[in-house]
Amino acid sequence: MGAGLAGSVLAERLASKANKKILLLDKRNHIGGNTFDYYNSDGILVHKYGPHIFHTNSKEVFDYLGNFTEWRPYEHRVLASVDGQLVPIPINQNTINDLYGLNLSQQQVQEFFDAKAEKKDQILSSEDVVVNVVGRELYEKFFKQYTFKQWALDPSELDASVTARVPTRTNKDNRYFTDKYQAMPLHGYTKMFYNLLDHPNIHIMLNTDYKDVVDEINYRTLIYSGPIDAYFDYCFGKLPYRSINFKSQTIDSENYQPTGTVNYPMSQAYTRITEFKHLTGQKHGKTSIVFEYPTAEGDPYYPIPRKENTEIYNQYKTLAESEPNTFFTGRLGTYKYYNMDQVVAQSLTLFKKITLKKVAQVNGKDLF
Ligand code: FAD
Ligand code: UDP
């Protein structure tokens, strides 16, 4: 259930490697989950659910997806609009020199950070992560308000893992990611999904909420990649998710901004603007951009990493482990702030696990 990466990778593996018959359900009217992209009315390739940039250090994941798409090399770069300037984020040597009109060497940037850092004995929160390395001033300029807009929480109330996604550097590396493999599917994510799901054993039903049909279907095993709390009818309470309102625009000009994404960590209501042509490499006389306005209401896009939510999730996880023929996976099914590559890796691991004889049998009966 769920035709995003988690559900689709498992469908492909089980169909092609274990010769299983798969019924893939999704309540949306398209495959691809949150990675879905399409050509808008101006003929520009855009991502429906916000910018998706593929990056991974896993050769296994990169090679696996490479069976279903050619790649276009792409290294994402992001500028942050701070104090009236556009400066690189992650904070690095260029950021400090641009922001303060300095000409510091790498060594001097390290000394600059050391002089500003508020050293913490323990890194417990998303505030600690940043102030521990760069101090309060840069934290307030780049992280405090952006994080509040994104999560409606102060960074001190969020797990360290959230802002730890964005490193601090002393060199001049302006890239957003440093993973070994950084590339975009040459013809887009949706095309990659068509190839992934193109197997005679895979049948797809769109516009179908699994709850409406589950009692009508004879199945041996359910793989569930929707929100885990919904599966259990919220019996331990609702897990909080963050959503986003995406506001798109097409502009009658070839370019809009110098990099794929510009972050707005200060006063605007949106967090960032992305111009898709940087990501896709498409040549077009016009350009399409998207503004992201975070919100509590709407599709569940982001699990919110903090202790009280993990405690609720762990109750659902315990219940999930007692369901003999249902497997939970994906960003929503395991309530984890996972990137695409982590979801693919998780599904490949789950495939191996469920096809092992000892797991594939319950009470001596085959699960598949
Ligand atoms: P999803 O893609 O959410 O798929 C779950 C599917 O289940 C959905 O299609 C949903 O419709 C379906 N579903 C749910 N409930 C039901 C139901 N009751 N019945 C039927 N179907 C149901 N990752 C990166 O690596 N790089 C990025 O740059 C990046 N940018 C992102 C930007 C944004 C704004 C967001 C929200 C995420 C981003 N991600 C990025 C993360 C990426 O989207 C996820 O890791 C990945 O798409 C998760 O795949 P999934 O299959 O677990 O979930
Ligand atoms: N963040 C921030 N300022 C930035 C970029 C990121 O405060 O300019 C924080 C914010 O809390 C954000 C988190 O770091 O949610 C992770 O950033 P990332 O770009 O990885 O977010 P995603 O692409 O997943 O939305």
Side-chain angles (χ1 to χ4, degrees):
M1 196 286 299
L5 267 176
S8 300
V9 166
L10 275 155
E12 185 282 328
R13 288 288 83 181
L14 289 164
S16 69
K17 295 291 168 200
N19 198 27
K20 300 303 171 193
K21 291 248 188 262
I22 310 293
L23 178 61
L24 186 60
L25 301 174
D26 204 296
K27 64 181 181 185
R28 289 174 170 162
N29 64 0
H30 58 73
I31 56 174
N34 286 342
T35 74
F36 176 72
D37 55 13
Y38 66 102
Y39 286 89
N40 66 16
S41 55
D42 284 291
I44 300 172
L45 183 59
V46 297
H47 298 182
K48 179 160 184 185
Y49 305 98
H52 277 73
I53 296 113
F54 186 79
H55 55 100
T56 189
N57 282 314
S58 165
K59 184 173 184 323
E60 186 191 4
V61 168
F62 190 64
D63 288 349
Y64 170 73
L65 291 179
N67 293 319
F68 310 102
T69 185
E70 290 170 60
W71 294 107
R72 166 183 179 264
Y74 172 71
E75 291 184 322
H76 195 48
R77 286 180 171 73
V78 180
L79 293 168
S81 174
V82 172
D83 294 343
Q85 291 190 65
L86 292 182
V87 294
I89 172 106
I91 296 173
N92 64 48
Q93 189 180 351
N94 293 324
T95 315
I96 300 304
N97 285 335
D98 292 354
L99 195 62
Y100 296 107
L102 299 169
N103 190 20
L104 302 182
S105 66
Q106 190 166 346
Q107 174 61 32
Q108 287 169 317
V109 170
Q110 184 61 62
E111 287 160 14
F112 180 94
F113 290 153
D114 290 344
K116 304 249 177 199
E118 275 179 29
K119 284 292 168 202
K120 304 272 169 195
D121 291 337
Q122 274 189 303
I123 306 293
L124 297 175
S125 73
S126 269
E127 175 181 311
D128 296 343
V129 171
V130 184
V131 296
N132 182 59
V133 178
V134 299
R136 201 150 288 274
E137 184 176 314
L138 290 166
Y139 160 74
E140 283 178 358
K141 287 187 194 297
F142 287 86
F143 286 90
K144 191 176 165 72
Q145 289 176 72
Y146 184 109
T147 298
F148 193 79
K149 282 193 272 185
Q150 174 71 15
W151 303 97
L153 290 169
D154 189 80
S156 60
E157 300 171 293
L158 275 169
D159 281 3
S161 59
V162 176
T163 54
R165 290 168 60 91
V166 184
T168 301
R169 303 186 184 125
T170 53
N171 62 18
K172 292 183 172 171
D173 190 346
N174 285 345
R175 294 173 306 161
Y176 206 62
F177 309 110
T178 50
D179 300 56
K180 183 159 180 200
Y181 307 98
Q182 303 190 40
M184 298 290 286
L186 184 61
H187 303 293
Y189 289 99
T190 304
K191 184 72 174 57
M192 180 178 84
F193 272 81
Y194 274 110
N195 295 335
L196 189 69
L197 296 172
D198 180 17
H199 191 285
N201 286 1
I202 301 178
H203 300 272
I204 302 170
M205 272 175 82
L206 297 175
N207 302 302
T208 307
D209 191 311
Y210 95 101
K211 286 210 164 172
D212 294 339
V213 297
V214 71
D215 294 336
E216 318 293 320
I217 299 168
N218 261 330
Y219 63 92
R220 284 186 168 172
T221 297
L222 173 65
I223 289 163
Y224 180 90
S225 66
I228 189 167
D229 54 344
Y231 179 89
F232 291 110
D233 294 323
Y234 310 103
C235 65
F236 300 121
K238 280 202 166 192
L239 278 166
Y241 296 91
R242 225 33 206 154
S243 193
I244 295 185
N245 281 329
F246 299 105
K247 295 260 172 8
S248 306
Q249 264 181 39
T250 296
I251 293 156
D252 199 0
S253 126
E254 226 173 309
N255 300 106
Y256 178 75
Q257 61 189 25
T259 48
T261 298
V262 175
N263 285 357
Y264 290 84
M266 300 196 103
S267 48
Q268 293 78 353
Y270 47 86
T271 49
R272 58 188 179 189
I273 303 177
T274 296
E275 182 178 9
F276 291 107
K277 279 166 56 183
H278 288 280
L279 280 53
T280 58
Q282 189 179 359
K283 303 278 176 250
H284 198 291
K286 295 183 184 179
T287 195
S288 291
I289 58 174
V290 64
F291 296 68
E292 294 180 46
Y293 293 86
T295 156
E297 305 303 321
D299 277 3
Y301 293 140
Y302 289 84
I304 305 178
R306 61 197 305 239
K307 195 162 161 273
E308 36 278 74
N309 301 346
T310 306
E311 280 165 8
I312 303 173
Y313 167 67
N314 283 339
Q315 290 179 278
Y316 284 115
K317 184 170 172 252
T318 304
L319 205 51
E321 282 160 0
S322 68
E323 296 263 313
N325 62 348
T326 304
F327 294 96
F328 294 80
T329 186
R331 183 144 145 152
L332 305 172
T334 56
Y335 201 68
K336 295 280 179 314
Y337 186 1
Y338 276 162
N339 292 328
M340 290 181 280
D341 64 321
Q342 294 170 298
V343 169
V344 173
Q346 183 190 38
S347 285
L348 293 176
T349 302
L350 182 55
F351 166 71
K352 287 174 200 154
K353 189 177 145 196
I354 60 185
T355 48
L356 278 179
K357 190 88 180 141
K358 65 180 164 55
V359 183
Q361 287 198 333
V362 169
N363 302 332
K365 278 173 62 189
D366 277 353
L367 275 181
F368 291 98

